[in-house]
Amino acid sequence: MQPIRIAPSMLASDFTRLGEQARALEAAGADMLHLDVMDGMFVPNITFGACVVQALRASTSLPLDVHMMVREPERYIADMVAAGASYVTVHVEATPHIHRAVRQIQEHAGVVAGVALNPGTPVGAVECVLGEVGLVLLMTVNPGFGGQKLIVPALEKISRMREMLTAMGSDALLEVDGGVNARSARMFTGRGATVLVSGTGVFDAPDWGAAMRAMRA
């Protein structure tokens, strides 16, 4: 079993102190930083662009986990890679050409391609590209805003996806995003998740390091 990795979501950070907080998270033991790129079209919010990814790249040595919540993500993949993304994850719902988008990410050496699913999308929607990706992200809240409550029926999808990855011998990371905190972490890891994205679960905790250690435990 892969070790549990914690990816604090910078969506919950203080945007006026992004660099400072990125360095503090690294010192506290984060494994990667999760960056939600939103376009106001695929989701009803607008957040980071490539310039913010680039600024964070200069502030930390942690891998940058870039989650593309945008329509036609193919338009922005090269920019995110150039800005310093370590992982680039695209939504199967955001493009009619998910295989092409994944291959476009793979063209950039050293960058891991990921695919994401909304809570209402069945796991079978990405079966055709599972052999091509190094990360699968399952949303357990509807994307677009932080601090939402867990959609409980989405938990079963984690178990089904773990079974699919195991059956094909894939060592892809299985990431979950939504409702993750020190109390709920076991619900995700017990079903096979290996990367926990947590926004308010980390940033609202009095001790970020203790919160992340509790999630791993």
Side-chain angles (χ1 to χ4, degrees), residues 136-158:
V136 179
L137 168 58
L138 299 181
M139 295 298 299
T140 46
V141 298
N142 286 305
F145 297 95
Q148 299 182 67
K149 291 184 179 180
L150 168 71
I151 297 174
V152 175
L155 289 171
E156 181 56 32
K157 290 172 59 178
I158 303 172

Side-chain angles (χ1 to χ4, degrees), residues 35 38 63 85-87 97 128 137 151 154 156 165 175 202 206 212:
L35 306 178
M38 306 182 190
S86 309
Y87 300 81
H97 306 293
C128 63
L137 168 58
I151 297 174
E156 181 56 32
L165 292 171
E175 183 174 69
V202 172
M212 289 187 283

Side-chain angles (χ1 to χ4, degrees), residues 24-50:
L25 288 165
E26 183 171 3
D31 297 292
M32 58 181 75
L33 298 181
H34 188 81
L35 306 178
D36 290 313
V37 176
M38 306 182 190
D39 64 354
M41 298 171 65
F42 181 67
V43 293
N45 201 358
I46 297 175
T47 55
F48 310 118

Side-chain angles (χ1 to χ4, degrees), residues 27 100 104 109 111 175:
R100 180 187 298 168
Q104 186 177 340
V111 179
E175 183 174 69

Side-chain angles (χ1 to χ4, degrees), residues 20-210:
E20 174 189 340
Q21 293 195 331
R23 290 186 290 272
L25 288 165
E26 183 171 3
D31 297 292
M32 58 181 75
L33 298 181
H34 188 81
L35 306 178
D36 290 313
V37 176
M38 306 182 190
D39 64 354
M41 298 171 65
F42 181 67
V43 293
N45 201 358
I46 297 175
T47 55
F48 310 118
C51 58
V52 174
V53 176
Q54 184 176 24
L56 281 169
R57 178 71 290 155
S59 300
T60 178
S61 62
L62 289 175
L64 300 182
D65 177 26
V66 176
H67 177 194
M68 304 283 286
M69 299 186 192
V70 302
R71 289 184 184 173
E72 299 177 26
E74 298 92 336
R75 295 177 296 161
Y76 305 106
I77 288 170
D79 290 341
M80 295 301 165
V81 172
S86 309
Y87 300 81
V88 176
T89 298
V90 294
H91 271 263
V92 66
E93 306 91 352
T95 173
H97 306 293
I98 188 62
H99 188 272
R100 180 187 298 168
V102 167
R103 284 291 177 89
Q104 186 177 340
I105 300 168
Q106 291 175 330
E107 291 173 359
H108 302 278
V111 179
V112 177
V115 63
L117 289 167
N118 283 335
T121 304
V123 293
V126 294
E127 187 173 7
C128 63
V129 294
L130 281 186
E132 305 281 339
V133 300
L135 182 150
V136 179
L137 168 58
L138 299 181
M139 295 298 299
T140 46
V141 298
N142 286 305
F145 297 95
Q148 299 182 67
K149 291 184 179 180
L150 168 71
I151 297 174
V152 175
L155 289 171
E156 181 56 32
K157 290 172 59 178
I158 303 172
S159 301
R160 293 203 297 273
M161 182 57 70
R162 172 49 62 200
E163 291 171 358
M164 291 171 65
L165 292 171
T166 299
M168 66 186 304
S170 172
D171 60 358
L173 300 175
L174 180 48
E175 183 174 69
V176 293
D177 184 358
V180 179
N181 54 48
R183 296 182 301 280
S184 66
R186 186 178 296 275
M187 289 194 297
F188 305 105
T189 59
R191 288 171 168 80
T194 54
V195 181
L196 303 179
V197 177
S198 181
T200 56
V202 172
F203 282 95
D204 287 357
D207 184 328
W208 293 353

